[in-house]
Amino acid sequence: MSRPANLMELREEEIRAHYGAAAALLEGFDHAPRIGAAEVAPAPVERSPGIATGRRFRSTTPGLVTRSTARPDGVRLAERIEAVGGDDPLVSPMEATVLHGLRRAIAIALAVGEGFAGQTGLSELKKANLAGSLGADKKVAFSELLAAEALVVLGVFANATAFLLAPHASEMSVEVGSPEEVLTDNALLALNGALWELDQVIAVQASEEARLVACVLAFAEALMEKVSLRAQGAARLDAFTGADYRVEADDFTISGFTASRKARGTTLTMQFKKPHEVVGNHIAKYQAMKLAKMLMAYDFERKLNPFAELGGFIFTFMGDGAPGTGKTTLIQMMAGLISGYCENAGYAFRYQNFGIDNIDSYQGKSGQNAKAFVNNVLDPSVIGFGTIDDIDQIAGKRGDRQSSAGQQEVTAVFMEAFAGANTVVRGNCTFGMFSNYPENVDDALRQRAGARFLVDGPQTREDYIDILALLMGKRHDIPLGDHELYAAQEIKRAVATSFEGHSKPHEEGLRVVFDRVAGEIGALDTIAKLGTYLKAIQEADHRFTGRAIKNITDAVKVRAMDFELPDEWMENPDLFLFKSYDEKSAMISDLRQPITIDMVIQEINRYADSEFRYADKSDEVAIAKMVREFGLTEEAKRRYLEGKG
């Protein structure tokens, strides 16, 4: 596969040239913190002469004699890491791994910083400044470039550290908070501040070797996030963000301030389902099958999917239906398809589910769990599929006093991740939200689901025969009878019938609006008439906002892509998957279909039907609850009066 033209190879000799400087930083340097404050850790136990002290540090506990983790003789990070293992005078393999990873990360960061300085003219400005010949007209540019270089070096250091140590991570997690000593005066001072703060984190958090990697990874990821946010308002970073750097020896690609992770997939233990084993749910099954193949069009070099650029990619979807209608089966089918395609192409596939067990009573932990889930699925180095089952129980409605703080945190994270100001849809992953009671999901969060999959289970006589035969298995002698098994599940015929069924609304409330508008203005055959219909829907349901219109138009674009990528393209990756981005984009464009008025009407009705259905259910639930409360009140009054009499 060809590489993009803006990919710059970071040569090994350029990195190794900075090994000496990196090792010196790990050995020791002086740093007086400007922003951060030294942590406090327990005093070390006195030991016999000749045995090193300060091997273990624990978080402050009331009643213990403590001391500051700041060293009077400077920051000695290598010594701090070697002290984590306890009394063993030899460096353990894990300690050595962390030290080598940090040295490598620092060297890579310094090499990228050096290249950035050369590209932007900062190197010449530094020389002029040292010689005292820097003109007044260049001082602003000099200051801005120094700050930019500091951010570049910090970002690459954090990114490389997380990338290099990720394979050694365990299930253990550590909370480190947001880094404070993020300095941008110059690159060296920036590294000093970051390493000083990492020294503090290890001193307090790494009470044992098992926690060491977790501490370093948590700090690196937090630093990457902080630097990325700071970089959004910084100047003169185009030379860095406009090019990708690659370190061949580590299989490490640097794309601006985007985190790079090892392309590690998840080992799935779920029971996969074949498409014919999903009985009914024709539109949901068809769209899930299409989406599985759409994901495979993702270009790992461009880090973009042609479907995301051309339109028609489903980034988020909502699957709703009554209990037992097949939501879990749909997930098993889609995950199985993607897993098989990825295995055939040699791609890493990552599936994750966010469940109720991720809601934590510890303040802020639920939000962190949700953010970690989102980031793992978004990872641009893998094909990702994230599911949120029973989202009505996991994400709380804003303003609902019965929702826990953890549920409110999760709602905020998902809203920002799925359609926030910083949301970038690359097309390598999709998120599915599933619920038996979607009317209980926060309106704004539910509307962030770009597509709606109505999972209504078997509907026809043929569906019920098929599902009975499927679940009965083969260990019986009961004849099938006059029936062509699974013929009703033939997807294209079933989907065409299902889409045509949405030419008229299904929900009574929407049907009234549709008939009234059609009676007043005639057939909905122009943009103006469709807009009139949309306005009438909004007047009937105030929650039908501009985001609803966007979701409808996205669904129409999906219909324009109403084709399945040929199976042979998945079976033989050279035919499509391994082609360049431009070739894949052209092949997809050739298959695209024109948008018709029928498509638009059907998608308006499909989306609006779901909103009216949610509203009706929500109102009915609220009414039933009030009726029950009134009944309880009346019964309480009756018993009270009887007792008083």
Side-chain angles (χ1 to χ4, degrees), residues 282-298:
H282 301 303
I283 292 180
K285 178 166 66 173
Y286 180 57
Q287 290 188 314
M289 291 170 66
K290 282 176 53 182
L291 182 53
K293 289 183 177 179
M294 279 185 184
L295 286 168
M296 298 305 296
Y298 176 71

Side-chain angles (χ1 to χ4, degrees), residues 228-241:
S228 179
L229 289 173
R230 186 79 66 86
Q232 291 177 12
R236 301 182 184 273
L237 285 167
D238 291 348
F240 174 65
T241 57

Side-chain angles (χ1 to χ4, degrees), residues 12 89 96 106 173 179 188 200 254 275 280 311 333 386 404 432 451 473 480 505 508 515 535 545 644:
E12 190 64 22
I106 294 171
S173 62
L188 182 58
Q200 304 294 299
I254 304 166
M333 182 203 78
S404 69
L480 177 63
E508 179 61 31
D515 291 341
K535 174 58 180 173
T545 62
K644 192 174 182 180

Side-chain angles (χ1 to χ4, degrees), residues 23-40:
L25 284 172
L26 292 174
E27 286 299 321
F29 59 89
D30 293 326
H31 181 74
R34 294 186 184 180
I35 305 170
E39 299 285 351
V40 178

Side-chain angles (χ1 to χ4, degrees), residues 377-446:
V377 177
L378 287 174
D379 183 356
S381 65
V382 302
I383 301 296
F385 180 30
T387 55
I388 310 161
D389 211 357
D390 294 322
I391 190 170
D392 52 285
Q393 298 181 38
I394 292 168
K397 275 189 175 182
R398 290 168 299 170
D400 184 357
R401 287 176 294 180
Q402 294 182 335
S403 296
S404 69
Q407 289 172 309
Q408 297 289 341
E409 292 169 13
V410 168
T411 298
V413 170
F414 287 160
M415 287 179 63
E416 175 63 25
F418 296 158
N422 296 320
T423 302
V424 178
V425 179
R426 297 181 181 276
N428 69 303
C429 65
T430 188
F431 292 89
M433 299 176 274
F434 295 85
S435 175
N436 295 329
Y437 307 100
E439 66 276 5
N440 293 335
V441 180
D442 185 271
D443 289 342
L445 176 57
R446 189 177 66 241

Side-chain angles (χ1 to χ4, degrees), residues 103-174:
R103 183 185 69 169
R104 179 79 174 171
I106 294 171
I108 291 172
L110 290 173
V112 174
E114 185 177 62
F116 174 82
Q119 286 179 281
T120 57
L122 177 59
S123 299
E124 298 303 317
L125 293 176
K126 286 180 179 179
K127 292 177 183 177
N129 184 58
L130 286 173
S133 58
L134 185 67
D137 59 327
K138 295 183 178 179
K139 287 185 177 179
V140 173
F142 182 51
S143 177
E144 289 178 346
L145 283 169
L146 283 175
E149 183 192 29
L151 289 172
V152 168
V153 168
L154 275 182
V156 174
F157 163 67
N159 196 3
T161 299
F163 182 88
L164 294 170
L165 295 182
H168 307 283
S170 65
E171 297 299 319
M172 183 175 294
S173 62
V174 174

Side-chain angles (χ1 to χ4, degrees), residues 18 89 113 167 178 201 203 222 373 392 463-464 568 598 618:
H18 294 281
S178 179
V201 168
F373 159 75
D392 52 285
D463 286 345
Y464 276 93
E568 52 267 27
D598 289 337
S618 182

Side-chain angles (χ1 to χ4, degrees), residues 72 223 326 345 520:
L223 178 61
E520 291 174 357

